[in-house]
Amino acid sequence: MKLLRYILFLGVVVLFSQISCDKLPGGDKKPDPDGQTPVVAIYASSIMMNLPVADRAELNGTKNPLHLHTILLPYNCSVSFVIVNEGPVGTVLNYSVDDIGALGGFLDYTNGVGSLKSGEYATVTVTVDPNFTKTGLGGLGEGFGSTLVLTINTPAASNFIKNIVSVHVLDFATEVQKLIGTWKGTWSGVSNGPKKTTPINGTWTLNLQTIDWLNGTVTAALSWSGNDAWWDFAINDTEALNSMPHSFNVNRSFVFSNLISSINGPRPCFDGVNLQLPHSKHFGYFEEIGYVPDPSNPDFHFNFSPDLKSILGGLNQSASSWSSMWLDPIVKGHYGYSSGFLQGSKIN
């Protein structure tokens, strides 16, 4: 295993040191005066093709080496980049992609060979060869991961005959540790009364302390404050004409052990990561504040984005959400339900 890592590291150093050798004389030379020489550009996403050429120039991977991040194992999350012919009308850019040499054989990719007219681009999607998707069969994702490279050959281009694109491979159990830290945001929603609702809102702070991705658990502390509401239930008031909301303050802090938390992501490559604190079957609180019992069975669902930098907000099915139960302190046995959505981000 150590020998493999040494070979990977040495190969990256050698290939990156050779980038300057693969420019044509004159570096970023202008196209020939006859306008018949293609110009290669490489971008990390086809979205960049919607930008004007001048605006995307600094993102060109032929000027600054392009580092793709990250293929996540064992899920084998794909990454991609685009090869573009930015030469004059009438030119054709022939290209090929290679995974050879000391670092070869670990990656699979699409669109490895092609011809591009002026303004055309090809998207190359990269994954790890199935033989190396499990960390125990080669160790590509272990520890700090591995950096592999692909060689982009464009022998007729006026600016470069060869470029490299680096691809970082990491085990997701390591990558998900980025979530550890403090998150803050707001919650909003409605308290549901008999045939009526009233708006409620507040703030939350989440301190994620440890994450055990393999066992699907976390340790965390959650603070929840703001304004909720409970409702009167009137006997025989079938149209709920007399039901009224009563506001009360929520100010609670919860500590979640690995026994009452759940973190998962069946497809973290695309759908992000779901953190549930906790499932309502695990425990509930019944603590009186003033005249009103504090909400019980709090259930917070934090849906983190695939880049692990934000939570998914909005009003859709994938948005982060919350819910709780409340009790009518006047009429025993009457209870209700509050729910809504979360917004926020990581602060450190």
Side-chain angles (χ1 to χ4, degrees):
M1 188 65 67
K2 290 184 178 179
L3 178 61
L4 171 63
R5 292 207 166 278
Y6 176 77
I7 293 173
L8 290 174
F9 174 76
L10 182 61
V12 170
V13 172
V14 172
L15 280 171
F16 272 95
S17 68
Q18 291 180 342
I19 295 178
S20 60
C21 300
D22 297 324
K23 294 184 181 181
L24 290 180
D28 296 330
K29 189 174 69 175
K30 301 292 184 181
D32 290 343
D34 61 8
Q36 297 304 307
T37 307
V39 179
V40 62
I42 302 176
Y43 300 106
S45 171
S46 60
I47 296 175
M48 297 177 187
M49 297 305 298
N50 297 323
L51 301 174
V53 175
D55 292 344
R56 66 177 186 248
E58 294 303 317
L59 305 173
N60 189 341
T62 64
K63 297 180 178 179
N64 299 300
L66 187 60
H67 304 272
L68 299 180
H69 194 276
T70 301
I71 296 179
L72 298 172
L73 300 182
Y75 304 98
N76 209 8
C77 303
S78 63
V79 293
S80 63
F81 62 95
V82 295
I83 303 173
V84 189
N85 181 4
E86 292 191 342
V89 174
T91 62
V92 176
L93 176 70
N94 295 314
Y95 76 88
S96 64
V97 181
D98 290 326
D99 176 23
I100 58 177
L103 302 181
F106 294 107
L107 299 175
D108 291 338
Y109 48 89
T110 63
N111 291 330
V113 179
S115 297
L116 303 171
K117 297 179 181 178
S118 175
E120 292 183 340
Y121 65 89
T123 299
V124 180
T125 301
V126 187
T127 56
V128 173
D129 185 281
N131 291 324
F132 302 100
T133 55
K134 294 187 181 297
T135 55
L137 298 176
L140 292 180
E142 293 179 351
F144 294 102
S146 301
T147 298
L148 310 176
V149 296
L150 293 175
T151 303
I152 316 303
N153 305 293
T154 51
S158 64
N159 50 344
F160 285 82
I161 60 172
K162 184 180 292 185
N163 294 272
I164 66 170
V165 172
S166 65
V167 181
H168 194 58
V169 181
L170 189 66
D171 180 36
F172 190 74
T174 301
E175 180 77 352
V176 78
Q177 302 302 313
K178 289 181 178 180
L179 294 177
I180 291 177
T182 303
W183 298 71
K184 285 190 174 183
T186 60
W187 57 270
S188 60
V190 297
S191 174
N192 294 275
K195 297 188 178 182
K196 296 180 181 179
T197 62
T198 189
I200 53 180
N201 61 80
T203 61
W204 57 267
T205 299
L206 172 67
N207 184 2
L208 268 176
Q209 299 159 355
T210 65
I211 298 176
D212 183 346
W213 181 253
L214 296 180
N215 292 310
T217 62
V218 305
T219 58
L222 174 68
S223 297
W224 175 33
S225 62
N227 299 305
D228 205 337
W230 62 273
W231 294 77
D232 290 323
F233 283 81
I235 299 176
N236 298 324
D237 186 11
T238 57
E239 297 302 319
L241 298 176
N242 297 318
S243 63
M244 296 292 294
H246 298 270
S247 297
F248 65 94
N249 293 326
V250 178
N251 189 8
R252 293 301 303 265
S253 293
F254 308 101
V255 176
F256 299 97
S257 71
N258 58 357
L259 299 178
I260 54 174
S261 64
S262 174
I263 188 168
N264 59 72
R267 296 172 61 207
C269 305
F270 310 105
D271 296 338
V273 175
N274 174 66
L275 170 62
Q276 188 172 1
L277 294 174
H279 192 283
S280 58
K281 70 180 181 180
H282 289 302
F283 75 102
Y285 284 97
F286 296 90
E287 180 179 329
E288 189 170 293
I289 297 180
Y291 295 100
V292 182
D294 203 24
S296 66
N297 294 319
D299 204 352
F300 279 71
H301 293 255
F302 296 93
N303 290 324
F304 299 100
S305 61
D307 62 8
L308 307 180
K309 295 180 180 179
S310 62
I311 65 169
L312 301 179
L315 303 176
N316 53 60
Q317 187 175 6
S318 63
S320 301
S321 61
W322 67 275
S323 65
S324 67
M325 305 290 289
W326 48 264
L327 302 176
D328 182 345
I330 297 176
V331 181
K332 292 185 177 181
H334 286 180
Y335 64 92
Y337 179 74
S338 296
S339 64
F341 295 94
L342 303 171
Q343 292 185 332
S345 59
K346 189 177 183 183
I347 62 171
N348 62 48

